[in-house]
Amino acid sequence: MIVGKLVGTDGAPLENISVSLKKAGTGVNTEADGSFKLRAEAGVQLLHISGLGYVTQETSVEVVAGKTTTLPTTTLRINEHELAEVKIMEQRSLNQRPASISKMPIAPLDLPQAAVTIDRQVLEQQQVLRLSDALANISGLYVTSTTGGTQEELGSRGFAYGSNNTFKNGVRFNNGVMPEASSLERMEVLKGSTAILYGNVAAGGVLNLVTKKPQFERGGSVGLRVGSFGFWKPTVDVYGAVGNSQKVAFRINATAEKANSFRDKVESDRVYVNPSLLFELTPNTTLVLEGDYLRDNRTPDYGIGAIDYQIQESRTRFLNVDGANNATNQTSTTATLTNRLNDNWQIRGVAGFQRYANAQRSASRPVASAVPATYGNLTRGLQRSETNENYYLAQFDLTGKFRTGFLDHTLLLGADADQYQTTAIAYTNPDSKLTANAANTAFDIINILDPNKVIAQPKERLTGFQDLVRNTYTKGNTRRAGFYVQDLLSVTEKIKVLAGLRWSYQETPSDVYYYNTFVNRNTKPAPVAGTLVNNRRYDNAFSPRLGVVFQPVKTTALFASYSNSFTPNTGFDLEGKSLAPSLIDQYEVGIKNDLFKGALSANITAYRIVNSNQSQSILPTDPRFGTSRTPSPQELAGQVTSKGVEVDVQSKPVNGWSVITGYSYNNTAYTNSNIYENGSRLRYNPAHTANLSLFYNFSSTFGNNTFLRGLSAGFTTYYVGDKLAGRNPRLLDPATGLAWKTADANKFITIPNYTQFDASLGYSYERVSLRVKLANILNELSYNMHDDNSVNPIAPRNFSATASYRL
């Protein structure tokens, strides 16, 4: 036996240093106190001692049979010629990196569905601040609106990404507030139907935000970002082992943000903290605990207004009242337990909780008037609301690989259950009657075109938010559950089949209480006779999936797939029964390529999505209307069709260059409607988008010993074209079933096309880095809109700079 101890030049013990017998090839690592014990055969042995960052030593030791040879304490010197920094870059292509949102350990090349992953290096290189900044990397994913300027609503393939379609670490995320981008490790987008995996999701796809994880190696960074319009944002990211543990690691991301705006009177401030812990319970079992806290306060901003469905061009016009505020607090925690049973099988359990609370005080939205009789005069009312939501999730997945006969299987078995507990309080004018649609009285009158214009004010009006009293108290308690199975069968090396089925159940109770506004103005709800409205819905649906992948060569895959999803409806049929969910069929074909030995991935996808049983009103002119047991009967007889093409191209870093580019075309329209013209496009969905990001790292050309080695530069451009808002013109009045008397009662609003061009420059030296960015260099003007309100201009040309220090 050979025993000894290793210390550094400061006398401190050295842990995890390799000590081995050079001839035999066997060895051990030193313990926490620097000691080691090594069995050896009798005779002269050559001892090899090495550790990262230290000078390697070799020494001869004479070992006597049956005795322990004790070596004197050995001091290792630091290797001054060790590389100052080693960067390990992602070397798998876009089609080789599995996305955790797919729940299966298969490469995207084997998946009959379009998928895109954007890693942290790209997000940092482009200095992404909001999710909308990252859209320049993903074709067909776009901003639909920014209602009130408090959130970014996304869409894809003609369908909105609501909270059901937005995830963080695999758990649904309430997108009523802008998520924090500085904590992201990557963004994952699974396009098309994912109902088999997640149940009630829209047909366009899902977005998963993956946060940075704990590491046992100590490190981190601190930074400060400043920019136009009084923007500043300090950040900190610290990670490492807890103490000297090899079993527990931590990470803490935190940031604060404060800014004014290019918009008059608009300001914001927010605080974000993202702590996480990693436990290696056994060599095959890990537990990750992740927390998330976000406090976001900002001025609600419903934009510049419109007159007769015409945008009154401006970038700065502010139409809200003084004192308007939108305050959101969001807290969440997630526990993920993963156990690798063997090389082929793994189980994974996820438990999540999220608390969302929002309080808003604002003027009512400036809705576009059908007839411009007031010449820009706008009567502002006041509105106030409070929303609270508790969300619970439990999910279990079993994945494994096995073989039956000539078939290789990659199997997923899973179950999930979640619950939304929501409460919402709406306020109204105390003089209003006790009805669900009690209107607010006026606060004042301004002019959209000339805010300084003096206008006679209403004689009786609210003096402030303190005059509003509680009107309704709504309780919701949505409960969902699902069971699913999915199998990827490798029929041959070139042919794969993905088949699966999910059953989903959803229960949606809702209770509405009306306050006695004349007695209990600001107390708990006081339901009186006839003031409670109950609504109960019970829905279930099957979601099948079938896809075929053909790989003529290992780097190319052609695929075709069918899947469907469902959307619960809220209406009632002729007999007063609740409408069944609408089932949405989706067909997708495409080709995925890894070109130039995997240096470039180029994918093309074409899709057709058909909701052939969309809910629509039965008109009063319909003979069946007179036999209806419900006052507003509906039926599943409408149809909406979405079709399009998407192109995604992404490269690995090659000779310093990296490129991401893409293009999408989409047409989503009514194809069978009793109110709207067939072929009439749905709003918010751009017909065309295009994106290009090109960056160059000078170190690959100029080596490691020049001033330019830390320099990088690049640009990002994003085009959005042919987009509509406003309200779809109707052929018939749904209230009467007759033709509109006024042809222009509803109108589209055409949103200007635009191309946003951003340029970035970065420089790193040892532990310090500096990045600068000039956004919207061309100073393009366009808008994000919701219906005929929330006409929110995009930001003008602006500047930002980020300085950071690596710990």
Side-chain angles (χ1 to χ4, degrees):
M1 183 76 74
I2 302 173
V3 300
K5 183 177 182 179
L6 304 181
V7 298
T9 53
D10 59 356
L14 297 179
E15 182 183 6
N16 207 30
I17 301 295
S18 173
V19 181
S20 61
L21 300 173
K22 193 167 186 179
K23 183 178 180 180
T26 59
V28 296
N29 289 343
T30 56
E31 302 293 338
D33 61 356
S35 64
F36 66 88
K37 295 180 181 180
L38 181 62
R39 289 187 178 276
E41 294 182 358
V44 177
Q45 299 287 350
L46 186 61
L47 205 61
H48 183 87
I49 304 172
S50 64
L52 184 63
Y54 293 94
V55 176
T56 299
Q57 293 187 24
E58 291 185 352
T59 183
S60 295
V61 180
E62 184 174 353
V63 180
V64 180
K67 293 186 178 181
T68 297
T69 301
T70 302
L71 301 179
T73 298
T74 303
T75 301
L76 294 188
R77 293 183 294 106
I78 294 176
N79 187 349
E80 301 294 345
H81 300 289
E82 193 74 31
L83 290 176
E85 179 180 9
V86 176
K87 288 186 177 180
I88 301 174
M89 306 298 291
E90 174 65 72
Q91 289 302 309
R92 291 181 295 177
S93 71
L94 171 66
N95 291 325
Q96 295 170 340
R97 300 194 299 268
S100 61
I101 193 67
S102 70
K103 295 188 178 182
M104 296 186 72
I106 59 176
L109 198 66
D110 296 332
L111 187 67
Q113 186 174 11
V116 177
T117 299
I118 305 300
D119 290 324
R120 174 172 53 88
Q121 289 86 352
V122 174
L123 300 176
E124 291 180 350
Q125 187 173 246
Q126 297 176 357
Q127 301 175 67
V128 167
L129 179 65
R130 300 282 182 255
L131 290 188
S132 56
D133 299 332
L135 301 187
N137 305 297
I138 306 166
S139 71
L141 183 61
Y142 44 83
V143 174
T144 59
S145 62
T146 56
T147 308
T150 59
Q151 62 183 124
E152 292 180 330
E153 299 165 77
L154 306 182
S156 175
R157 299 186 175 184
F159 296 86
Y161 276 33
S163 295
N164 279 338
N165 289 58
T166 308
F167 295 78
K168 178 174 280 191
N169 298 317
V171 177
R172 279 187 169 90
F173 174 84
N174 190 313
N175 70 342
V177 63
M178 296 182 187
E180 180 57 44
S182 65
S183 67
L184 297 184
E185 183 66 30
R186 64 182 183 275
M187 289 175 53
E188 301 174 341
V189 177
L190 200 57
K191 300 181 181 182
S193 175
T194 56
I196 190 172
L197 301 176
Y198 297 102
N200 180 23
V201 290
V206 293
L207 167 68
N208 186 38
L209 308 176
V210 182
T211 57
K212 299 172 183 177
K213 304 302 185 215
Q215 299 181 28
F216 284 94
E217 179 187 2
R218 291 191 178 275
S221 64
V222 293
L224 176 64
R225 178 168 180 163
V226 297
S228 302
F229 319 119
F231 179 90
W232 67 275
K233 182 185 182 75
T235 60
V236 60
D237 177 19
V238 182
Y239 55 84
V242 175
N244 295 319
S245 173
Q246 297 182 11
K247 301 295 184 181
V248 185
F250 76 96
R251 189 160 197 160
I252 298 178
N253 284 284
T255 183
E257 180 183 312
K258 192 173 182 62
N260 297 317
S261 173
F262 66 95
R263 304 274 298 134
D264 293 342
K265 300 183 180 181
V266 174
E267 58 185 28
S268 62
D269 70 86
R270 57 195 266 143
V271 174
Y272 174 79
V273 182
N274 170 222
S276 56
L277 287 170
L278 166 64
F279 299 87
E280 291 194 354
L281 304 179
T282 73
N284 295 323
T285 306
T286 61
L287 173 64
V288 179
L289 301 179
E290 297 172 280
D292 222 49
Y293 170 75
L294 175 63
R295 177 187 59 77
D296 185 282
N297 289 332
R298 61 186 61 239
T299 307
D301 177 17
Y302 291 105
I304 62 174
I307 301 175
D308 192 22
Y309 293 90
Q310 298 293 318
I311 299 175
Q312 306 303 306
E313 187 173 296
S314 174
R315 247 203 176 108
T316 61
R317 184 188 306 120
F318 180 71
L319 302 179
N320 213 328
V321 297
D322 293 337
N325 182 59
N326 186 86
T328 303
N329 283 272
Q330 189 172 54
T331 305
S332 65
T333 182
T334 305
T336 304
L337 181 68
T338 305
N339 179 250
R340 185 166 55 86
L341 302 175
N342 53 44
D343 291 340
N344 293 320
W345 290 91
Q346 175 181 285
I347 57 175
R348 181 173 179 267
V350 178
F353 168 77
Q354 182 181 120
R355 168 71 174 174
Y356 173 87
N358 174 266
Q360 186 182 77
R361 299 185 178 193
S362 173
S364 54
R365 302 180 186 185
V367 177
S369 172
V371 181
T374 58
Y375 302 98
N377 288 353
L378 171 68
T379 300
R380 294 192 296 188
L382 297 183
Q383 59 184 15
R384 181 181 173 187
S385 64
E386 296 171 8
T387 303
N388 292 280
E389 175 184 279
N390 290 334
Y391 176 67
Y392 305 87
L393 168 90
Q395 177 182 296
F396 176 84
D397 292 318
L398 171 67
T399 56
K401 297 182 178 182
F402 62 98
R403 186 177 181 87
T404 59
F406 66 92
L407 294 175
D408 287 322
H409 301 261
T410 302
L411 182 69
L412 166 67
L413 288 171
D416 56 36
D418 64 356
Q419 180 179 22
Y420 283 100
Q421 294 178 337
T422 60
T423 61
I425 299 176
Y427 287 73
T428 189
N429 170 23
D431 296 327
S432 300
K433 295 181 180 180
L434 298 178
T435 65
N437 297 314
N440 297 328
T441 58
F443 172 66
D444 64 2
I445 302 176
I446 64 170
N447 188 272
I448 291 178
L449 303 178
D450 184 6
N452 296 319
K453 182 178 179 181
V454 178
I455 303 172
Q457 302 299 321
K459 294 181 179 179
E460 297 181 3
R461 63 190 184 100
L462 298 171
T463 61
F465 294 108
Q466 71 280 355
D467 291 344
L468 297 175
V469 296
R470 297 180 180 185
N471 180 46
T472 61
Y473 177 85
T474 304
K475 291 181 63 177
N477 191 13
T478 299
R479 294 183 284 270
R480 298 182 291 204
F483 302 90
Y484 47 93
V485 57
Q486 186 170 259
D487 191 8
L488 177 68
L489 300 93
S490 296
V491 182
T492 69
E493 288 187 357
K494 296 184 177 182
I495 300 177
K496 297 178 174 65
V497 177
L498 182 67
L501 181 68
R502 177 191 177 99
W503 177 78
S504 298
Y505 169 81
Q506 181 164 320
E507 180 181 339
T508 315
S510 177
D511 300 325
V512 181
Y513 296 88
Y514 291 95
Y515 285 86
N516 186 337
T517 56
F518 300 103
V519 179
N520 301 307
R521 293 194 171 191
N522 290 290
T523 59
K524 295 181 179 180
V528 295
T531 64
L532 172 63
V533 177
N534 300 104
N535 183 22
R536 296 287 188 275
R537 292 192 56 85
Y538 304 93
D539 295 302
N540 67 86
F542 285 95
S543 301
R545 181 182 192 181
L546 179 64
V548 179
V549 179
F550 173 61
Q551 298 177 341
V553 294
K554 291 184 177 180
T555 56
T556 298
L558 293 87
F559 70 89
S561 69
Y562 164 79
S563 57
N564 80 7
S565 55
F566 67 96
T567 299
N569 291 301
T570 58
F572 300 89
D573 64 12
L574 289 165
E575 297 180 357
K577 298 179 181 178
S578 297
L579 288 180
S582 295
L583 300 180
I584 304 171
D585 296 311
Q586 184 156 182
Y587 307 88
E588 190 169 343
V589 296
I591 181 171
K592 301 179 182 181
N593 295 281
D594 277 347
L595 307 172
F596 309 112
K597 297 182 179 180
L600 186 74
S601 297
N603 303 338
I604 303 175
T605 306
Y607 59 87
R608 179 180 175 85
I609 307 171
V610 182
N611 181 356
S612 58
N613 56 359
Q614 186 185 38
S615 172
Q616 67 179 17
S617 298
I618 298 176
L619 302 178
T621 52
D622 191 307
R624 298 172 297 165
F625 188 87
T627 64
S628 175
R629 298 181 182 179
T630 182
S632 302
Q634 293 183 315
E635 61 181 346
L636 301 180
Q639 180 174 286
V640 169
T641 301
S642 173
K643 54 188 177 181
V645 177
E646 296 166 346
V647 179
D648 285 291
V649 178
Q650 192 175 124
S651 78
K652 296 178 182 178
V654 178
N655 296 326
W657 292 97
S658 61
V659 60
I660 299 175
T661 187
Y663 165 78
S664 74
Y665 164 77
N666 172 263
N667 181 277
T668 304
Y670 291 102
T671 47
N672 185 25
S673 175
N674 60 357
I675 294 178
Y676 302 106
E677 181 180 1
N678 288 339
S680 177
R681 285 174 53 196
L682 271 68
R683 301 161 297 167
Y684 316 133
N685 307 299
H688 304 274
T689 69
N691 58 280
L692 172 63
S693 174
L694 183 65
F695 277 79
Y696 180 68
N697 190 326
F698 286 78
S699 63
S700 62
T701 300
F702 293 93
N704 296 325
N705 298 315
T706 69
F707 176 78
L708 294 176
R709 67 175 292 269
L711 184 65
S712 63
F715 69 87
T716 302
T717 184
Y718 181 55
Y719 169 77
V720 178
D722 195 8
K723 190 177 177 183
L724 299 172
R727 299 184 182 273
N728 281 73
R730 293 171 173 175
L731 300 176
L732 301 176
D733 184 346
T736 63
L738 304 176
W740 282 106
K741 294 181 180 180
T742 305
D744 60 352
N746 283 351
K747 296 180 181 180
F748 280 128
I749 299 177
T750 301
I751 301 176
N753 306 348
Y754 71 95
T755 300
Q756 181 161 323
F757 187 85
D758 303 342
S760 298
L761 186 67
Y763 184 75
S764 298
Y765 179 74
E766 295 183 348
R767 296 178 179 271
V768 178
S769 66
L770 176 66
R771 296 181 183 274
V772 295
K773 178 179 181 180
L774 187 61
N776 196 4
I777 294 175
L778 304 178
N779 204 33
E780 291 274 75
L781 174 60
S782 189
Y783 308 89
N784 292 307
M785 296 185 61
H786 177 82
D787 291 339
D788 54 355
N789 59 74
S790 289
V791 186
N792 293 104
I794 65 173
R797 184 185 299 115
N798 62 90
F799 168 84
S800 64
T802 304
S804 62
Y805 178 79
R806 185 166 49 84
L807 302 174

